[in-house]
Amino acid sequence: MIIVGLTGGIGSGKTTISKHLESFGIPVYIADKEAKALMNRSKVIKRKLIKLFGKSAYKDEALNRPYLASKIFDDKALLEKMNAIVHPKVASHFKRWLKKQKAPYVIKEAAVIFENHLENQYNYIITVVADENLRIERVMKRDDTSKEKVESIISNQLSDEEKIKKSNFVIVNNDLDIAKRQVEKIHHQLLKISDQ
Ligand code: ATP
């Protein structure tokens, strides 16, 4: 089974593009969404996160995301410790999910691939890019957040140029219709590759 990574900076449109690929019958695994779900449902993760962050890691049985986000935002060591708890669980969940899929290829959407040097987990990688001002506007609207907050997240991520260099395919998502045409083209290329 061909595993295609789909990555890109905040607000570039990863999930939007994933949904379009899903409409062609391609299975999509959204790693960040599954990680959050596992952080809520896995007793082992819960126990370890409470040990790492204290009882405030959960509020009314649910993951206290704002608390965790505030703790890890400028503490790389803590973020790495959290990832060491969560990532292996997501990896084994993905493996089980993958076994059940019957498609020429699957998409795994992940915000961080290159940052964590995980490119060898994928056969191909698609990077979604969009102009920074558009990304800021979109995220401000979607998350009801400030320009400064989005800018500080962007400045913590690897640049588009770096990601493009390491990718097999790039989708420029400034205009949705144009981006959808690029997605269709890539989809057909991947079908051809998987048929060989
Ligand atoms: P994140 O990194 O935060 O998870 P993402 O890369 O998955 O974000 P999306 O959630 O797909 O990005 O898109 C961000 C917002 O921008 C969403 O509200 C989405 O509807 C909107 N959006 C995405 N692409 C376009 C586009 N081409 N034109 C207008 N709005 C768009």
Coordinates of all heavy atoms in Angstrom, one line a residue, residues 9-16 109 138 142 173-176, ligand 1:
G9 N 2.0 24.2 6.4 CA 2.0 25.0 7.5 C 0.5 25.3 8.0 O -0.4 24.9 7.3
I10 N 0.4 25.9 9.1 CA -0.9 26.2 9.7 C -1.7 27.0 8.7 O -1.2 28.0 8.1 CB -0.8 27.0 11.1 CG1 -2.2 27.2 11.6 CG2 0.0 28.3 11.0 CD1 -2.2 27.6 13.1
G11 N -3.0 26.6 8.5 CA -3.9 27.3 7.6 C -3.6 27.2 6.1 O -4.3 27.9 5.4
S12 N -2.7 26.3 5.8 CA -2.4 26.2 4.3 C -3.5 25.5 3.6 O -3.7 25.7 2.4 CB -1.1 25.4 4.1 OG -1.2 24.2 4.7
G13 N -4.3 24.7 4.3 CA -5.5 24.0 3.7 C -5.3 22.5 3.6 O -5.9 21.9 2.8
K14 N -4.5 21.9 4.5 CA -4.3 20.5 4.5 C -5.7 19.7 4.6 O -5.9 18.8 3.8 CB -3.4 20.0 5.7 CG -2.0 20.6 5.6 CD -1.2 20.1 6.9 CE -1.7 20.8 8.1 NZ -1.5 22.3 8.2
T15 N -6.5 20.1 5.6 CA -7.7 19.3 5.7 C -8.7 19.6 4.6 O -9.4 18.7 4.1 CB -8.4 19.7 7.1 OG1 -7.4 19.4 8.1 CG2 -9.6 19.0 7.4
T16 N -8.7 20.8 4.0 CA -9.5 21.1 2.9 C -9.1 20.2 1.7 O -10.0 19.6 1.0 CB -9.3 22.6 2.5 OG1 -9.6 23.4 3.7 CG2 -10.2 23.0 1.4
E109 N -2.5 12.8 6.7 CA -2.3 14.2 6.9 C -1.6 14.4 8.2 O -2.0 14.0 9.3 CB -3.6 14.9 6.9 CG -3.5 16.4 7.1 CD -4.9 17.1 7.4 OE1 -5.9 16.7 6.8 OE2 -4.9 18.0 8.2
R138 N -7.3 33.3 7.2 CA -8.1 32.1 7.3 C -8.1 31.5 8.7 O -9.2 31.2 9.3 CB -7.6 31.0 6.4 CG -7.8 31.3 4.9 CD -7.1 30.2 4.1 NE -7.2 30.6 2.6 CZ -6.5 30.0 1.7 NH1 -5.7 28.9 2.0 NH2 -6.6 30.3 0.4
R142 N -11.2 31.1 11.3 CA -11.6 29.8 11.7 C -11.5 29.6 13.2 O -12.4 29.1 13.8 CB -10.7 28.7 11.0 CG -11.1 27.3 11.3 CD -10.1 26.3 10.9 NE -8.8 26.5 11.7 CZ -7.7 25.9 11.4 NH1 -7.6 25.1 10.4 NH2 -6.6 26.1 12.2
N173 N -2.5 26.5 -2.6 CA -3.9 26.7 -2.3 C -4.2 28.1 -2.0 O -4.7 28.5 -0.9 CB -4.2 25.8 -1.1 CG -5.7 25.9 -0.7 OD1 -6.6 26.2 -1.5 ND2 -5.9 25.7 0.6
N174 N -4.0 29.0 -3.0 CA -4.5 30.4 -2.8 C -6.0 30.5 -3.3 O -6.8 31.1 -2.6 CB -3.6 31.4 -3.6 CG -2.2 31.5 -3.0 OD1 -2.1 31.3 -1.8 ND2 -1.3 31.8 -3.8
D175 N -6.2 29.8 -4.4 CA -7.6 29.8 -5.0 C -8.0 28.3 -5.0 O -7.3 27.5 -5.5 CB -7.5 30.4 -6.4 CG -8.8 30.2 -7.1 OD1 -9.2 29.1 -7.6 OD2 -9.6 31.2 -7.1
L176 N -9.2 28.1 -4.4 CA -9.6 26.7 -4.2 C -9.8 26.0 -5.5 O -9.4 24.8 -5.6 CB -10.9 26.7 -3.3 CG -11.3 25.3 -2.7 CD1 -10.1 24.7 -2.0 CD2 -12.5 25.5 -1.8
Ligands
ATP1 P1 -4.2 23.6 10.4 O1 -2.8 23.5 10.2 O2 -4.6 24.7 11.3 O3 -4.8 22.3 10.8 P2 -5.1 23.3 7.7 O4 -3.8 23.4 6.9 O5 -5.6 21.9 7.8 O6 -5.0 24.0 9.0 P3 -7.7 24.0 6.7 O7 -8.3 23.8 8.1 O8 -8.0 23.1 5.6 O9 -6.1 24.2 6.9 O10 -8.0 25.5 6.2 C1 -7.9 26.6 7.1 C2 -9.2 27.5 6.9 O11 -9.1 28.1 5.6 C3 -10.5 26.7 6.9 O12 -11.5 27.5 7.5 C4 -10.8 26.5 5.4 O13 -12.2 26.4 5.2 C5 -10.2 27.8 4.8 N1 -9.7 27.5 3.5 C6 -8.8 26.5 3.1 N2 -8.5 26.6 1.8 C7 -9.1 27.7 1.3 C8 -9.2 28.4 0.0 N3 -8.5 28.0 -1.0 N4 -10.0 29.5 0.0 C9 -10.6 30.0 1.0 N5 -10.6 29.4 2.2 C10 -9.9 28.3 2.4

